Amino acid sequence: MRSDLHQFPDTLTEQELLSKIDELNNDSNIHGILVQLPLPKQIDEFKVISAISPEKDVDGFHPISVGNMMIGKEAFYLVHRMALWSYSLITTSTQLANTL
């Protein structure tokens, strides 16, 4: 299993984060994306969560994933095999400091 940590300052702009998510969505070597919540106040969490490809939505927060869970469908099929895949974690410096 491979994991990448993408750590950003709290001054990260929404567009910078959306660009990183787009890059990861299009990277065939990345099979899952985790965005550490809560995000800095200048970033719209719904917009960020919605930008993650449902196929790479590790948290299961994408609207399609939530909808599938509500009707009893499996939302994120890779979670069961996560040890075999690679994923990226996106966080800010304050969030990371609070987890240590």
Side-chain angles (χ1 to χ4, degrees), residues 52-68:
I52 299 170
S53 170
E55 292 80 23
K56 295 186 179 191
D57 177 24
V58 173
D59 282 323
F61 293 158
H62 188 282
I64 290 175
S65 301
V66 172
N68 283 338

Side-chain angles (χ1 to χ4, degrees), residues 67-79:
N68 283 338
M69 285 186 279
M70 293 299 295
I71 62 172
K73 284 188 168 183
E74 195 169 321
F76 183 66
Y77 64 93
L78 295 177
V79 171

Side-chain angles (χ1 to χ4, degrees), residues 11-67:
T11 57
L12 174 72
T13 68
E14 184 175 275
Q15 188 54 51
E16 289 170 323
L17 181 52
L18 292 172
S19 293
K20 176 51 78 174
I21 290 171
D22 184 57
E23 175 188 324
L24 297 171
N25 278 336
N26 291 299
D27 185 340
S28 62
N29 293 312
I30 298 297
H31 300 95
I33 301 172
L34 247 160
V35 176
Q36 182 71 45
L37 301 177
L39 293 170
K41 61 185 172 183
Q42 72 271 17
I43 299 176
D44 181 339
E45 288 183 1
F46 182 76
K47 193 182 276 188
V48 169
I49 290 167
S50 297
I52 299 170
S53 170
E55 292 80 23
K56 295 186 179 191
D57 177 24
V58 173
D59 282 323
F61 293 158
H62 188 282
I64 290 175
S65 301
V66 172

